[in-house]
Amino acid sequence: MTLLKLTEIDTFYGGIQALKGITIDVEEGEIVTLIGSNGAGKSTTLKSISGQAPVKAGSIMYKGTHITKFPPHQTARLGIAHVPEGRKIFPKMTVKENLTIGAFSLSNKKVIEENMTRVLTYFPRLKERLTQKGGTMSGGEQQMLAIGRALMMNPSMLMLDEPSMGLA
């Protein structure tokens, strides 16, 4: 079953075209990697999918729903988690607060607690630092936090932009 379908996507930043005619099909359970040089459009493709970069032409379908014009919070509620390049954690908030924000679309406290347990199992270093401010952690720890935050929403699709940046 097709999870994600991009058809002839064109995305611009102001008057500069960043994507031209991008077409990608992603099947459920498939792992897809975008490879290219700096400026090739990898980050813009992810931002277009998540609603952070407006698509001027083409279409994006996710699980059969047309999401081309959806804002980021709406794509997240559908189950698309985007870990951006540069982490973008909340530096003045604790690790626990950062993780909890990742579950913003969930209302069931039991599910949120289960997700927290799962994330802290994946990243035991975060468990040690639950009360620490995110901005005081190393780059690698912040990357774990950014990925953990995305996993808190129990996504059906996880998009990682430069996931190894800052990791030793």
Side-chain angles (χ1 to χ4, degrees), residues 45-55 60 67-73 75 80 82 159:
T45 300
L46 299 183
K47 288 178 182 178
S48 296
I49 294 165
S50 66
Q52 295 177 35
V55 173
I60 302 173
I67 65 165
T68 311
K69 302 294 183 190
F70 279 21
H73 71 277
T75 60
I80 299 173
H82 182 185
M159 300 188 305

Side-chain angles (χ1 to χ4, degrees), residues 8-163:
E8 296 292 319
I9 295 296
D10 292 347
T11 301
F12 289 75
Y13 292 114
I16 299 171
Q17 188 166 11
L19 298 179
K20 183 176 182 179
I22 300 294
T23 298
I24 300 172
D25 287 355
V26 178
E27 299 299 317
E28 202 165 311
E30 189 173 31
I31 297 172
V32 175
T33 304
L34 300 178
I35 299 173
S37 60
N38 291 342
K42 302 176 300 292
S43 294
T44 301
T45 300
L46 299 183
K47 288 178 182 178
S48 296
I49 294 165
S50 66
Q52 295 177 35
V55 173
K56 194 165 194 172
S59 69
I60 302 173
M61 298 287 288
Y62 179 71
K63 292 184 172 180
T65 301
H66 186 76
I67 65 165
T68 311
K69 302 294 183 190
F70 279 21
H73 71 277
Q74 206 167 354
T75 60
R77 287 186 198 280
L78 289 175
I80 299 173
H82 182 185
V83 179
E85 178 180 359
R87 300 175 291 273
K88 307 287 193 280
I89 62 157
F90 297 98
K92 294 183 180 181
M93 295 174 73
T94 66
V95 168
K96 185 173 185 179
E97 290 167 336
N98 268 277
L99 292 173
T100 302
I101 281 181
F104 82 95
S105 64
L106 305 176
S107 57
N108 185 322
K109 290 185 186 222
K110 184 176 185 227
V111 170
I112 294 169
E113 288 173 17
E114 289 170 355
N115 289 353
M116 181 72 74
T117 299
R118 182 172 42 93
V119 167
L120 295 176
T121 300
Y122 292 157
F123 302 109
R125 177 64 120 212
L126 297 181
K127 186 174 185 177
E128 299 169 9
R129 303 188 184 254
L130 282 175
T131 59
Q132 186 174 336
K133 302 282 186 204
T136 65
M137 299 188 338
S138 72
E141 291 167 336
Q142 289 182 22
Q143 188 68 19
M144 289 181 225
L145 180 55
I147 294 169
R149 181 182 59 200
L151 292 173
M152 282 295 295
M153 64 184 279
N154 219 9
S156 51
M157 186 171 82
L158 179 62
M159 300 188 305
L160 304 170
D161 194 353
E162 298 283 351

